[in-house]
Amino acid sequence: MTFNAVLDGLKSYEAGKPIELVVREYGIAPEAVVKLASNENPKGCSPKVLQAIKEEASRASLYPDDSMYELKEGLAKRFNVSSNQVIIGAGSDQVISFALHAKANPSKGVVMAGVTFAMYEIYGRQTGASIYKTPSATHDLNELRELLKTHEGEIGVLFLCLPNNPLGECLDSEDVIEFINEVDSDILVVVDGAYQEYASFKDSKKALQVDSLVDKFPNVLYLGTFSKAYGLGGMRCGYGIAQPRLISTLHKLRPPFNITTLSLRAGVEALRDEQFVNDCLKENFEQMKRYEEEANRLGFDFIQSYTNFITLQFPQSKKASQIAQTLLEQGIIVRDLSAYGMNALRVTIGTQKQNDRFFEAFKRAYN
């Protein structure tokens, strides 16, 4: 059997190791495993959301409201836009797929930072598009400008991950607006704000005003998710915000009932509990300081993070892959970035107790 040629050599996305796998391979009790690899909210989701999911469970046999009216209205209010400017996806990565299938093709390529969310490239290659990355790992606007100039007329989609996953850095919003002003209006600019709640909490200069952003630029699609700050990774609920014409076009690619009845209810309730999210953001950055202090104490680098994770960069004498393996054998799951050509680990910021476990294990792994 033959398959579409664009699938030749296309790599699958590699998710973080699940707790169940570590339990099976290393014989560690489930309660002793600490997962700090997938940037989930270590506090879980709001208790109010959990209660709402339980109440909605009796409706699991019913298809969800495909208009997604209540969730769209909640997001419209949250971002001061109209509900016809919102599209819902099974995670924001599904909306990424919609965007690429709308604009990328064998004659229209995709531009992104040197190291960024892997699904941009994977979905892009599925369309047959060429992928263009900056030489630098982190976002460099001058390098992006050069790529756009070099491939003028050949680009369909440009990705800006703000803050960037898997590294954690974030551009100032003023610089982003200035840059987008220069981009050809026929290029779809996808601004991925999966971690924007964290960035805007830490530094107002990083905060994107979504309503003014999409109002100013008809070619901008803003992405958000309930998987990170809201603690709903398992519900697979994300969204895109743009001008109505762009959103209506993306809806042509959306399958019916693409998120669940429970996911819809969870998203609606999550938006209502702002205090829970703010408490999580505050604790996240308090605990992140411990990682920064440990890096300074031991003399290795880290990338200033505006997310719920931190990238630790090691000298060549210390191999990140070996450190990750030693941590894994102690029941601590982190993300090894060796596949990105970096001698680094990405570590989700856990609870105080989880971070205590990490540092205890890290002493043995690093020495």
Side-chain angles (χ1 to χ4, degrees):
M1 181 183 292
T2 59
F3 299 97
N4 291 337
V6 294
L7 299 180
D8 293 343
L10 183 64
K11 295 181 179 179
S12 300
Y13 180 77
E14 183 181 343
K17 287 184 181 294
I19 291 174
E20 294 81 3
L21 180 63
V22 177
V23 170
R24 289 196 303 269
E25 290 189 353
Y26 299 98
I28 300 172
E31 62 272 15
V33 178
V34 177
K35 186 183 179 187
L36 301 176
S38 299
N39 307 336
E40 295 144 328
N41 187 333
K43 305 289 285 186
C45 65
S46 161
K48 295 177 182 178
V49 173
L50 283 178
Q51 182 59 37
I53 293 172
K54 292 176 183 177
E55 293 171 359
E56 196 74 1
S58 63
R59 293 171 52 82
S61 62
L62 303 177
Y63 284 112
D65 169 16
D66 198 49
S67 74
M68 306 180 189
Y69 173 82
E70 197 172 2
L71 182 56
K72 286 183 180 178
E73 286 293 316
L75 287 165
K77 182 178 179 181
R78 165 73 173 78
F79 290 103
N80 193 32
V81 297
S82 300
S83 60
N84 66 348
Q85 292 182 255
V86 181
I87 186 170
I88 306 300
S92 56
D93 59 309
Q94 187 180 43
V95 188
I96 292 169
S97 175
F98 298 160
L100 284 161
H101 282 84
K103 282 292 291 183
N105 56 58
S107 62
K108 289 291 184 179
V110 184
V111 169
M112 64 192 72
V115 175
T116 192
F117 185 42
M119 292 310 299
Y120 304 156
E121 179 173 358
I122 292 173
Y123 283 137
R125 291 197 183 281
Q126 289 175 5
T127 71
S130 297
I131 306 298
Y132 305 105
K133 298 182 180 182
T134 60
S136 297
T138 56
H139 281 83
D140 185 306
L141 292 179
N142 287 330
E143 290 182 2
L144 288 171
R145 288 184 177 98
E146 189 61 32
L147 279 177
L148 294 175
K149 181 179 179 182
T150 301
H151 300 283
E152 187 174 359
E154 303 172 9
I155 303 303
V157 183
L158 164 68
F159 282 99
L160 297 173
C161 193
L162 306 171
N164 190 23
N165 176 31
L167 301 183
E169 89 282 1
C170 192
L171 298 170
D172 286 354
S173 59
E174 286 187 4
D175 294 335
V176 172
I177 300 300
E178 180 182 346
F179 171 72
I180 297 176
N181 258 319
E182 304 168 16
V183 176
D184 186 330
S185 62
D186 193 50
I187 295 174
L188 175 57
V189 180
V190 180
V191 178
D192 190 341
Y195 298 89
Q196 255 295 306
E197 289 87 356
Y198 295 94
S200 57
F201 182 89
K202 183 174 183 178
D203 186 348
S204 61
K205 291 181 180 179
K206 313 297 182 184
L208 294 167
Q209 298 302 314
V210 177
D211 54 346
S212 60
L213 180 68
V214 300
D215 181 61
K216 182 178 177 64
F217 300 108
N219 60 324
V220 165
L221 171 66
Y222 177 84
L223 303 178
T225 184
F226 288 93
S227 296
K228 307 305 176 185
Y230 291 96
L232 289 172
M235 288 283 101
R236 310 309 303 127
C237 187
Y239 54 90
I241 299 174
Q243 291 193 14
R245 180 171 180 266
L246 175 50
I247 292 299
S248 65
T249 300
L250 297 181
H251 267 290
K252 296 176 182 179
L253 295 159
R254 184 185 72 84
F257 312 117
N258 59 315
I259 73 167
T260 72
T261 299
L262 298 183
S263 300
L264 279 174
R265 180 68 186 278
V268 169
E269 293 301 325
L271 285 173
R272 292 172 177 165
D273 195 350
E274 294 183 12
Q275 187 60 53
F276 172 81
V277 174
N278 287 334
D279 290 345
C280 291
L281 297 174
K282 182 174 182 291
E283 182 172 336
N284 175 77
F285 288 111
E286 288 174 349
Q287 289 295 314
M288 186 180 289
K289 291 176 184 176
R290 299 176 64 188
Y291 287 83
E292 296 171 348
E293 290 167 357
E294 184 74 353
N296 289 330
R297 187 181 72 83
L298 294 174
F300 59 80
D301 294 329
F302 63 89
I303 295 175
Q304 187 69 232
S305 177
Y306 296 87
T307 65
N308 65 342
F309 62 84
I310 189 167
T311 298
L312 307 178
Q313 300 175 295
F314 304 115
Q316 289 306 310
S317 59
K318 303 288 186 178
K319 297 300 180 185
S321 56
Q322 183 57 56
I323 295 172
Q325 180 60 34
T326 304
L327 288 170
L328 191 61
E329 292 168 2
Q330 299 177 74
I332 310 295
I333 312 172
V334 297
R335 195 62 179 263
D336 177 14
L337 298 183
S338 299
Y340 291 89
M342 301 178 68
N343 188 38
L345 299 180
R346 187 190 70 185
V347 184
T348 304
I349 307 301
T351 62
Q352 180 175 336
K353 183 178 180 180
Q354 289 174 326
N355 295 328
D356 288 345
R357 281 284 317 280
F358 170 85
F359 290 118
E360 179 185 342
F362 185 73
K363 290 176 183 177
R364 292 190 284 271
Y366 192 75
N367 292 329

